[in-house]
Amino acid sequence: MKLALSLAARGAGWVSPNPMVGAVVVREGHVVGRGYHRRAGAPHAEVEALRSAGDAARGADLYVTLEPCNHQGRTPPCTQAILASGVRRVIIAARDPNPQVTGGGAEFLAARGLEVDVGLLAAEARRLNEAWLHYVNTGRPWVVAKAACSLDGKIATVGGESQWLTGEAARALGHRLRHRVDAIVVGIGTVLADNPQLTTRRPRGRGTGRDPIRVVLDSRLRLPLTSRLLHLDSAAPTWVATTSLAPPNTIRALEARGAQVLVLPADAGRVSLGALLEELGTRQVQSLLVEGGAETLGTFFDQRLVNQFYFFYAPKILGGQQAPGMVGGHGIVHLGQAHIAKNLRVRRIGGDIMISGYLI
């Protein structure tokens, strides 16, 4: 099953809106077939593994990280391919919570004489697809916060300099995070200050990099028509989230340059983040990376919308009471209101330190 999970992880960034799934066929203690879901619309992991095994699948064991589908979607039901292969036993890591699938695949196979076991490395399988599981259960994207700062928590000097706080290795990991998510969001302040591209900066193509959808929070549509976000050679679109305060002629001008303008309800004069997440969910955005700036990050934290975070710390001390901190927003009044992090992980990334974890 560990091998199947490793194979499944290769689909990161490519398979959305589907989950990552890996499968391995074992016969008499030897791996005779392996496969993983490579992209939405492509054969599922079970089908790839069974094709790889060929006739050796008959009488063998199939290990799969997620319950096989038992319904017709973009591809035929995997349960039919499993039956046709002659596999005698199916070992499933995690159940599929999708209403179309739950209880269907495992029970269907067991009712037709196959031995079916469920639960091997289930926690690891659920962690692999945490964003997809969250989306299936809530209809909203999994929110990941990412920021880079000095050791004293500053994202820029008092003079506004911020590029580059961290080294190349940390920035490369940041681009890999962009590849893994469906969309990335920044506030208009970041766009006006940095004129970012919000791409992966990695070679395009299988196994390299895929650009996320770029989302700009811009309640009054101050996004310049000359912004690099509107002039990129990228398959991923730029969406501008705004409110009814936006001038209609500016909406038309942005749309003429290829942007999609999302007019959403306002919250205290700004785009409602709850409405934004609901809208992204209807568009099958399952994971969202929040990169800033400080006020955008702070608002997500204020509203307790962050599920996971990656904070990069450069070995530098900037100081200055006026230097901006990593997380803005309103903040909290009492320590009892503090956000509690769990499952913390600390890694050395080049000359920098990364702390990642989840929020309760």
Side-chain angles (χ1 to χ4, degrees):
M1 188 63 78
K2 288 184 177 180
L3 175 57
L5 288 167
S6 176
L7 290 168
R10 296 183 185 180
W14 298 108
V15 300
S16 184
N18 293 342
M20 292 176 276
V21 183
V24 175
V25 182
V26 178
R27 182 169 183 173
E28 298 178 353
H30 299 283
V31 173
V32 295
R34 61 185 74 193
Y36 68 97
H37 189 37
R38 297 173 183 269
R39 59 176 176 81
H44 287 187
E46 301 93 317
V47 173
E48 279 214 345
L50 293 170
R51 287 177 179 173
S52 171
D55 291 339
R58 190 162 299 278
D61 297 339
L62 172 66
Y63 290 79
V64 60
T65 60
L66 192 68
E67 184 176 8
C69 63
N70 190 38
H71 68 284
Q72 177 70 46
R74 294 188 185 184
T75 58
C78 289
T79 50
Q80 296 294 340
I82 292 170
L83 288 177
S85 73
V87 163
R88 71 174 183 88
R89 181 179 178 223
V90 180
I91 302 93
I92 300 166
R95 290 278 194 177
D96 189 333
N98 190 317
Q100 293 181 294
V101 178
T102 299
E107 278 70 22
F108 179 87
L109 295 172
R112 282 151 183 80
L114 274 69
E115 184 179 346
V116 179
D117 296 318
V118 180
L120 179 63
L121 299 184
E124 290 86 342
R126 287 193 292 268
R127 176 62 58 85
L128 179 68
N129 280 307
E130 58 196 2
W132 178 79
L133 289 167
H134 176 82
Y135 174 78
V136 170
N137 288 323
T138 68
R140 287 183 166 197
W142 175 263
V143 177
V144 182
K146 177 245 175 185
C149 66
S150 62
L151 283 180
D152 55 338
K154 306 296 185 179
I155 62 172
T157 68
V158 291
E161 286 189 47
S162 61
Q163 297 182 346
W164 296 103
L165 274 173
T166 54
E168 290 187 7
R171 297 200 297 275
L173 179 53
H175 293 148
R176 291 198 294 274
L177 290 176
R178 290 179 178 181
H179 162 76
R180 294 176 64 92
V181 299
D182 292 334
I184 178 174
V185 63
V186 296
I188 184 59
T190 294
V191 177
L192 295 176
D194 300 336
N195 195 18
Q197 298 183 64
L198 305 181
T199 57
T200 63
R201 310 287 211 285
R202 305 178 72 203
R204 303 294 180 263
R206 167 62 51 188
T208 50
R210 179 188 62 86
D211 290 335
I213 298 165
R214 295 168 292 275
V215 182
V216 180
L217 296 173
D218 187 3
S219 59
R220 296 180 181 272
L221 284 193
R222 294 184 290 152
L223 180 66
L225 298 180
T226 56
S227 169
R228 288 199 288 182
L229 293 175
L230 303 176
H231 301 276
L232 291 173
D233 180 18
S234 173
T238 294
W239 295 349
V240 184
T242 190
T243 68
S244 59
L245 298 174
N249 60 327
T250 307
I251 293 177
R252 290 191 292 269
L254 287 171
E255 291 176 338
R257 283 162 175 77
Q260 294 185 42
V261 179
L262 314 179
V263 180
L264 300 173
D267 181 3
R270 297 182 176 183
V271 174
S272 165
L273 296 186
L276 173 68
L277 295 182
E278 292 290 338
E279 178 66 22
L280 294 180
T282 64
R283 293 168 178 255
Q284 291 193 308
V285 172
Q286 298 182 358
S287 53
L288 177 67
L289 183 65
V290 184
E291 284 208 4
E295 284 305 304
T296 298
L297 274 172
T299 305
F300 272 90
F301 276 101
D302 282 345
Q303 298 184 25
R304 300 188 179 270
L305 299 174
V306 177
N307 302 108
Q308 186 179 13
F309 63 88
Y310 292 87
F311 290 161
F312 296 84
Y313 292 87
K316 302 169 184 176
I317 307 294
L318 302 188
Q321 290 186 348
Q322 302 305 313
M326 181 165 56
V327 179
H330 296 299
I332 62 169
V333 176
H334 304 290
L335 284 176
Q337 300 170 319
H339 302 269
I340 306 299
K342 63 177 181 178
N343 298 338
L344 290 177
R345 184 182 182 192
V346 180
R347 290 176 57 191
R348 188 75 177 265
I349 308 294
D352 305 307
I353 294 172
M354 183 188 76
I355 300 179
S356 60
Y358 299 82
L359 293 178
I360 296 175

